[in-house]
Amino acid sequence: MTAQKYRIRGRVQAVGFRYFTDREAGSLGVKGWVRNLSNGDVEVHAEGSSDSVKAFRARLESGPPLARVSEINIEPAEVQGFEDFSMLYC
């Protein structure tokens, strides 16, 4: 089990990015959460097998059709043992 934290920059709010992230996480068996940040970025905590987290990151890099990802900052994260993936509202 591995965990990563992502901060995604670009045109990633008001384009369905959180919904896309939730759907992709579900299809890959990734657990964790996604949320919009007040500065326009999106933050994601993802955990699962090394392969599923790697595949998830690749999907985040492209995002949904209306998104334009300009940068993804990646940090290792502590495994929290989430049972599902959810969208957080701040």
Side-chain angles (χ1 to χ4, degrees):
M1 176 83 59
T2 188
Q4 296 283 319
K5 190 172 188 177
Y6 306 101
R7 181 171 287 210
I8 301 125
R9 293 191 166 110
R11 191 172 79 178
V12 292
Q13 288 192 19
V15 293
F17 202 95
R18 285 179 303 140
Y19 295 96
F20 167 84
T21 302
D22 183 57
R23 185 176 60 248
E24 297 303 316
S27 74
L28 293 167
V30 171
K31 312 300 184 199
W33 50 261
V34 60
R35 67 178 171 185
N36 286 340
L37 299 176
S38 61
N39 68 353
D41 296 348
V42 170
E43 186 175 41
V44 179
H45 176 95
E47 52 188 55
S49 72
S50 181
D51 288 343
S52 64
V53 171
K54 184 177 179 180
F56 183 61
R57 175 184 164 199
R59 294 181 188 186
L60 293 178
E61 288 174 350
S62 59
L66 296 176
R68 297 294 175 260
V69 175
S70 62
E71 181 180 353
I72 297 182
N73 292 326
I74 305 161
E75 297 177 17
E78 192 172 315
V79 173
Q80 301 290 311
F82 292 102
E83 294 185 17
D84 56 13
F85 195 89
S86 58
M87 289 188 285
L88 304 180
Y89 298 92
C90 301

